[in-house]
Amino acid sequence: MTYSIQTDEKTNITTITLVNGDLTASFLDFGARWHQFLAPDKNGKLENILLSLDTLEEVLVDQAQFGALVGPVAGRIKNAKWKGISLDKNLGNLHHIHGGSKGWWCQFWNYEIIEEKESIKAVFSLTDTLSGYPGPIHVTNTYELTQTGVTMTTSVTSKEVTIVNPTNHVYFNLSGDAKRKISDHLLTIKSPHILETGNLNIPTGKLISVENTGYDFNTPRVIKEAIKELKTGIDDAYLLENTSPQIILADSISGRQLTIDSNRQSVVVFSTTGFNDSFKVNGQSMSSEIGIALETQELPDITHYPEWGNIEIIPNETKTYQTTYTISSP
C-alpha cells in the first residue's frame, strides 16, 4: 500500500492518491471528492471507472458535484423550508437542493491519511458554518481503500438541532475511461418502490411500485432497454431492500462488476440522459448516458414526510452512514 499527496498551485486543490493491490483511488480536499477509481478489466488493464473532470480548474467551478460529498442534505427540500428555518433557494428560486450553493460539495476540507494492516484511509473533516443550516455541523468522511473496493463512512454531529442526509455524487462507467456509454451496462437494484415526483423532481409524498414498469431492476436489466420505456431516462429514488448486494452494475465487455451495499434507506439513480454540456470528463465533452450516478441516502425531502423517517440530529448525537463499493472482474 502506498499514497501520495499533491497540491495544485493554481487552484490550491490537494489530490490524495491511495494504492492498495490492483486498485488506485484518488480524492480531492475540495468537496471531499472521490475523483478517480482505477480498476483492472478482465485482461488486467487498469482504467478509471468514474467520470472525472479533466482539470482541477473545472473542479473548482463545477456545479454538478462530480464525486463530491453532498450535504448537509442531499436532494430537494420543497420550498427551502424546515421547521420555519429558511434555506438557500438554489433550485428554481423556490426550492433547496444538495445543501445549497455553499454546501459541503464546494468547501475545502481538512484531511489525514491512516494506514491500517490491510487497508488505507483518506479521512476528510469539516466544520460547516457556511451552508446556512443550524449548527455548526461537524462531519468526518472516510474513504477506506481495500483490495476489493472502497468503503465510505460519514459521521456527523451538530451543536444545534439540525438535519443531515449526505450522499456521494459519484458517477460510474465500468467500460474504463468512459470509452463507451453506460447504456449497455446491466443494472440490478433490489427495490420494490420508487418515489413519485412532480415538477422539478419534487417528491409528491407517494411511493409507487416498480413492477411491470421501466423502473424495475429487481432482476438484471440492460439500461438502454429500460430507457426505451422511460424516454427521459432515470432520475429517481429507489427504496432499498435490506439484502446483499443491494445494487449491482456490470459491463460484460470489460468484465467489471460493481456491487453496492449500504445502511442507507434509498438510492437515487441518475442515468445522465439528456445531460449534454461543454465541460470535459475523461477527455471528452459531457454527454447523455456517459455515466450513471448511484447516490445512497435517505429518501429525498423526507423532512416533509415524517412517515418515511427522520433525518434530524440532536446536539452531541452522532449519526453514521456507510456505503461499500466492491469492484471485481473475472
Side-chain angles (χ1 to χ4, degrees):
M1 294 183 297
T2 61
Y3 72 89
S4 62
I5 300 172
Q6 185 172 6
T7 301
D8 177 65
E9 291 184 0
K10 289 183 180 179
T11 61
N12 204 34
I13 293 175
T14 296
T15 302
I16 299 156
T17 302
L18 309 181
V19 180
N20 192 354
D22 292 333
L23 302 180
T24 299
S26 66
F27 308 94
L28 308 178
D29 63 343
F30 182 70
R33 293 173 185 245
W34 187 2
H35 183 53
Q36 292 186 329
F37 190 23
L38 275 63
D41 68 2
K42 62 186 179 184
N43 299 313
K45 184 178 181 181
L46 275 181
E47 294 172 307
N48 182 20
I49 61 170
L50 305 186
L51 291 192
S52 307
L53 291 163
D54 278 7
T55 68
L56 294 181
E57 287 87 348
E58 287 175 307
V59 170
L60 202 59
V61 297
D62 169 38
Q63 297 294 306
Q65 299 101 18
F66 278 83
L69 202 284
V70 174
V73 173
R76 292 145 175 84
I77 297 179
K78 186 178 181 179
N79 297 326
K81 290 278 189 181
W82 169 66
K83 288 189 172 179
I85 294 171
S86 295
L87 300 170
D88 183 16
K89 294 181 178 179
N90 63 323
L91 178 65
N93 260 345
L94 179 63
H95 309 294
H96 179 81
I97 188 170
H98 291 335
S101 56
K102 295 182 179 178
W104 298 349
W105 58 276
C106 58
Q107 296 189 44
F108 278 92
W109 295 53
N110 296 318
Y111 64 88
E112 63 175 323
I113 308 299
I114 298 176
E115 296 182 82
E116 306 281 6
K117 186 177 180 180
E118 296 182 351
S119 67
I120 186 167
K121 299 176 179 178
V123 183
F124 294 91
S125 59
L126 176 74
T127 298
D128 173 30
T129 60
L130 301 178
S131 65
Y133 286 69
I137 302 171
H138 179 74
V139 55
T140 300
N141 193 63
T142 300
Y143 297 103
E144 180 179 13
L145 179 66
T146 67
Q147 291 196 5
T148 58
V150 171
T151 295
M152 182 181 71
T153 305
T154 310
S155 294
V156 186
T157 60
S158 174
K159 293 292 185 182
E160 297 182 33
V161 176
T162 192
I163 47 176
V164 289
N165 184 15
T167 193
N168 189 290
H169 217 272
V170 64
Y171 293 80
F172 292 98
N173 183 323
L174 302 186
S175 71
D177 299 328
K179 60 179 175 290
R180 294 185 303 275
K181 301 281 189 177
I182 53 89
S183 315
D184 289 317
H185 283 30
L186 276 172
L187 179 63
T188 308
I189 306 171
K190 295 301 182 180
S191 168
H193 296 97
I194 61 168
L195 189 57
E196 184 182 69
T197 58
N199 189 40
L200 293 176
N201 246 12
I202 300 297
T204 65
K206 295 180 181 179
L207 291 169
I208 56 177
S209 173
V210 302
E211 190 175 0
N212 297 320
T213 74
Y215 296 105
D216 191 350
F217 289 94
N218 279 285
T219 56
R221 192 173 188 184
V222 178
I223 292 173
K224 68 181 178 185
E225 295 304 320
I227 290 174
K228 283 180 183 177
E229 295 183 46
L230 302 176
K231 306 303 180 186
T232 58
I234 311 162
D235 190 3
D236 297 274
Y238 284 75
L239 190 66
L240 289 172
E241 290 185 343
N242 187 19
T243 185
S244 180
Q246 293 166 305
I247 303 162
I248 305 171
L249 184 69
D251 174 46
S252 60
I253 298 176
S254 70
R256 296 185 180 97
Q257 177 175 282
L258 177 76
T259 62
I260 300 177
D261 285 292
S262 181
N263 65 359
R264 309 305 300 275
Q265 183 184 35
S266 71
V267 60
V268 172
V269 181
F270 177 39
S271 62
T272 63
T273 304
F275 188 1
N276 298 287
D277 214 311
S278 59
F279 62 80
K280 298 292 183 66
V281 290
N282 305 68
Q284 58 192 294
S285 295
M286 180 66 200
S287 61
S288 180
E289 291 158 28
I290 196 176
I292 185 169
L294 300 164
E295 308 160 31
T296 55
Q297 59 191 268
E298 310 314 295
L299 284 170
D301 205 23
I302 196 171
T303 55
H304 288 115
Y305 302 98
E307 64 271 23
W308 296 344
N310 185 6
I311 60 169
E312 291 185 18
I313 186 169
I314 61 175
N316 301 318
E317 175 189 14
T318 300
K319 285 196 173 184
T320 300
Y321 313 96
Q322 190 169 86
T323 300
T324 297
Y325 308 84
T326 303
I327 187 73
S328 61
S329 57

